[in-house]
Amino acid sequence: MNGAADMGGMHGFGPIGIEANEPVFHAEWEKKAFALNMAIGVANIWNLDAFRFARESLPPSQYLNLSYYGLWVVTLENMMLDHGVATSEEIKAGHAQAPVKKSKRTIAAADVANMVRCGSPYNRPSPGPALFKIGDRVRARNIHPKTHTRLPRYVRGHAGEVTRVVGCHVFPDSNAINAGEDPRWLYTVRFDGRELWGENSDPTVRVSIEAWEPYLEPA
Amino acid sequence: MSGHDHDHDHEHSELSETQLRVRALETVLTEKGYVDPATLDILIETYEKKVGPRNGARVVARAWADPAYRARLLKDATPAIGEIGYAGRQGEHIVALENTPKLHNMVVCTLCSCYPWPVLGLPPVWYKSAPYRSRAVSDPRGVLADFGVRLPADTNIRIWDSTAEIRYLVLPMRPAGTEGWSEEKLADLVTRDSMIGTGLPKSPKDLAK
Amino acid sequence: MNGGQDLGGMHGHGPIEPEANEPVFHAEWEKRAFALTLAMGMPGGWNIDMSRFARENRSPADYLAMSYYQIWLAGLIDLIEERGLVGEDEIEAGHSLHTPKPVKRILSPADVAKTLHRGGPTERETNTAPAFKPGDRVRAKNINPPTHTRLPRYVRGHAGTIERVIGCHVFPDSNATGAGENPQWLYTVRFDGRELWGPDGDPASEISVDAWEPYLEPA
Amino acid sequence: MTHDHDHSHDHGSELSEMQLRVRALESILLEKEYVDPAALDALIETYEKKIGPRNGARVVAKAWVDPEFRRWLFEDGTAAIESIGYGGRSGNHLVALENTASIHNMVVCTLCSCYPWAVLGLPPLWYKSAPYRSRTVADPRGVLREFGIELPKDTEIRVWDSTAELRYLVIPLRPPGTESWSEEKLAELVTRDSMIGTGLAKLPQENTR
């Protein structure tokens, strides 16, 4: 979607707020917001792409005015409501209401280290040969889906070069709307800065993105 | 996605804060002699009471009733509208857009809020809002559906993103069953939205209600 | 600038909410903010492009969270502060604290009607010929200036057809930065919905923008 | 035009409001047994104390002293880094990017906040902020300047917009005057920012510890 999350190339956000000796978390609630999201992810009620979609679907005015973990909290609430994990009354009350419907899947403290170590790989067996190879000239398609996509607006319509064939990966555009993993070939594509930002831009800049095959066409 | 949590509860306090800020600004600018309070009152009265979509409705009604005027309007709208006495700020170059059974015109300003002030007055809040400005260019049928307007699938839609000094006035189609009506009566059928392209004129039946 | 104001094609802003019998102004302060902005144009000495830039030149987070007249007000405050007409301390105090800077003239009540009727025509004499004629195929250049421009992002890089040669008009990109009127030929350019939005575009829609000659190249 | 950029509603009120909201969510999820309280503590401890840029620094230092490892790192970053004991969540596919005298690499995630957690821990606020996300792809030199870095005009800057599947680790240039330094000592020169590309490795004289 062309939402507030798609910031590449926007102006007006001001200087970068660099904080010396920045702590990992800035408040106790941030730690909890982080850990709750990680822990409930294991329950597999929703996938990460769907969570990202929910987060970027917030109205841009809200998305841009919430802090980073504030966004996580609001999104977690929305996901819990959408998936029947809790009712709005429960969220308002701050407690589960009887009869409490308990979860079947959860993560135990002992499993955390293993989860952190193994992660959740998104590569899958390939359904067929890759269409592109290293060195191929490709163009990012001009698509504007209203749902989740990992193709930023600023590369659409522009031509670049395949610099890596990453493998076959879960296709987020499909996974985010619960339409299945639909694995697709994934490539790293490099664009010239002037191709993206016009002839007056810095000639020494190259920008690379990861693009799934459906995002690309031969250039 | 989810529709929860979209309310902005900081709006109330912001309003009163803004109110105070405007008052401070007006006081400072008046004390410094940059603005004359009487000027402010006249400006407000002009756009609150005098200039509004009734002006545009008179233009449209005349174009419906007078083929020669219609031709002049479509050829060069600025002087044609000037004939009726409307001109000026935010309407220095006006272009009239003719709706036909095959073509529906709709006006938006994606970058700010360009609007033909002399004929329509100040734009409504929705015209200046992010939902309209973002979607009118990419999903015009969806936008029209929000306004309760459904066009035949084969009607072409022309969106005019008023990105510059040209201001657009849509000339809607004259409703059926209005033969022989006076200009004045016809003007009653012309809604503001029909001149932006997010609506259609009223039918004689609507008017009777 | 690619700021919060460049909204064409964005998703996530929610439904359009027309208000039945909407009043011209929604609060007393809106009337005052509106009238102050109009009245200050003459003593302030800025042009319309400068005031547009003043409104859009803020964090998109703020721009999108502000109401329409709040944005006008913020733009006005930036303009008068930049020119030293009013100090931040004075707005804070709500009273004039310093001697006013002399200005050429102010808008008198008697001049309001005349001034509004005259407006601010932007057409200028020229002895150059337009580079394009109706029917020509053109492409909107891929430019990304950080300052004011009237070429929206969603048409950049896309091809359209010249529909109308409007005339030679003040070039906002120059005028907004105080670099002079630099009049340029202005055209109405028509784009196909599919050209702009890809397969997600409505095949029966066409979008027109008014584009100055420096925005265009032959397609 | 730099006024008015502060977000006064961002802090005080949001913080206390968020505190309450998070507490509510925690209670509900614990009561419904979607999460285990000890798991929450373990997660916080892991990312607050155990995993951080110190991990990445060890990878970089090894790449500086061990040509064999260096070759392997650029060939298969995931496997090479795993051999040191780092990998896993958000680090499944790690790609090491080699800075050279003529190429400088920089990592950003314009769409969200993808970051190589396994080697750098959680990203700093600025990495997740709109100013960094919006400008790095279009004006990397301007961004570097804000970090106090001025690169030669002809240095090629490669920006990697990390769209989730691959996580990038920049291997900065080894500072001069560090010949015969131990891996451990070298690791002290490797800053977090030098592995994102918004900084350079410290010079021996800058390493005060």
Side-chain angles (χ1 to χ4, degrees), chain B residues 8 10-11 14-15 18-19 21-44 46-49 51 74-75 85-90 92-93 95-97 103 108-114 117 122-126 128-141 143 146-147 153-168 192-193, chain C residues 4-10 13-19 22 24-26 29 31-36 38-40 43 48-49 52 56 63-66 68-70 72-73 76-77 80 85-86 90-91 94-101 103 106-110 112 116-123 149-152 154 163-164 166 169-170 172 186 188 190 197 200 202-210 212:
Chain B
H8 291 233
H10 47 290
E11 214 142 74
E14 240 172 57
L15 278 190
T18 309
Q19 228 163 346
R21 221 166 151 78
V22 174
R23 193 173 306 156
L25 202 60
E26 184 175 347
T27 309
V28 174
L29 292 172
T30 310
E31 284 174 359
K32 286 187 175 244
Y34 294 141
V35 298
D36 181 328
T39 299
L40 299 181
D41 294 338
I42 294 174
L43 282 166
I44 293 165
T46 304
Y47 286 102
E48 198 173 25
K49 306 270 160 65
V51 180
L74 291 173
K75 186 155 176 271
Y86 311 133
R89 197 182 170 95
Q90 305 275 344
E92 291 86 351
H93 310 278
V95 170
L97 306 168
L103 181 69
V108 63
C109 172
T110 60
L111 295 179
C112 48
S113 54
C114 298
W117 288 14
L122 299 180
V125 166
W126 61 259
K128 304 174 282 192
S129 73
Y132 184 69
R133 287 164 55 189
S134 58
R135 284 170 49 215
V137 285
S138 58
D139 179 24
R141 272 177 213 272
V143 166
D146 281 12
F147 284 88
D154 61 342
T155 299
N156 282 300
I157 303 181
R158 277 294 291 277
I159 314 302
W160 302 78
D161 188 353
S162 186
T163 46
E165 315 311 328
I166 308 303
R167 302 305 162 101
Y168 294 98
R192 178 196 62 201
D193 290 4
Chain C
Q5 91 291 357
D6 193 353
L7 285 165
M10 275 194 80
H13 285 288
I16 297 156
E17 290 167 340
E19 181 186 347
E22 183 180 325
V24 176
F25 297 103
H26 287 74
W29 70 264
K31 302 182 191 178
R32 313 310 294 178
F34 168 78
L36 282 168
L38 259 56
M40 278 307 290
I48 178 123
D49 299 306
R52 285 204 183 110
E56 71 199 19
Y63 185 95
L64 295 172
M66 285 170 152
Y68 183 72
Y69 285 112
Q70 281 174 338
W72 273 46
L73 182 67
L76 175 62
I77 290 175
I80 57 179
L85 295 171
V86 171
E90 295 180 302
I91 297 174
H95 283 286
S96 173
L97 302 174
H98 315 292
T99 323
K101 210 170 140 178
V103 292
I106 74 164
L107 182 62
S108 74
V112 170
L116 292 178
H117 192 81
R118 195 176 53 233
T122 53
E123 190 157 12
T149 183
R150 304 297 295 175
L151 187 70
Y154 73 89
E163 166 147 348
R164 179 195 298 260
I166 297 167
H169 284 250
V170 172
L186 179 64
T188 298
R190 188 177 67 229
W197 309 113
D200 301 302
D202 184 335
S205 77
E206 292 174 322
I207 296 94
S208 298
V209 304
D210 295 334
W212 278 263

Side-chain angles (χ1 to χ4, degrees), chain C residues 80-206:
Chain C
I80 57 179
E81 285 185 356
E82 268 170 14
R83 283 159 181 77
L85 295 171
V86 171
E88 227 176 318
D89 54 343
E90 295 180 302
I91 297 174
E92 194 71 32
H95 283 286
S96 173
L97 302 174
H98 315 292
T99 323
K101 210 170 140 178
V103 292
K104 273 200 204 118
R105 51 187 289 233
I106 74 164
L107 182 62
S108 74
D111 287 342
V112 170
K114 200 170 61 197
T115 306
L116 292 178
H117 192 81
R118 195 176 53 233
T122 53
E123 190 157 12
R124 297 290 180 268
E125 299 270 314
T126 180
N127 41 28
T128 65
F132 305 110
K133 59 181 189 310
D136 282 358
R137 293 287 292 167
V138 291
R139 188 175 296 279
K141 285 187 192 165
N142 178 29
I143 54 168
N144 290 271
T147 46
H148 185 67
T149 183
R150 304 297 295 175
L151 187 70
R153 275 183 88 178
Y154 73 89
V155 303
R156 298 180 195 162
H158 292 289
T161 306
I162 299 276
E163 166 147 348
R164 179 195 298 260
V165 182
I166 297 167
C168 186
H169 284 250
V170 172
F171 188 41
D173 301 44
S174 302
N175 207 31
T177 59
E181 293 197 339
N182 185 24
Q184 301 285 339
W185 283 98
L186 179 64
Y187 306 88
T188 298
V189 184
R190 188 177 67 229
F191 298 89
D192 190 89
R194 290 271 180 113
E195 164 71 17
L196 297 182
W197 309 113
D200 301 302
D202 184 335
S205 77
E206 292 174 322

Side-chain angles (χ1 to χ4, degrees), chain D residues 127-145:
Chain D
Y127 183 86
K128 304 174 281 192
S129 73
Y132 185 73
R133 286 166 57 190
S134 59
R135 282 164 43 212
T136 301
V137 285
D139 179 26
R141 274 177 203 273
V143 168
L144 285 172
R145 224 166 283 134

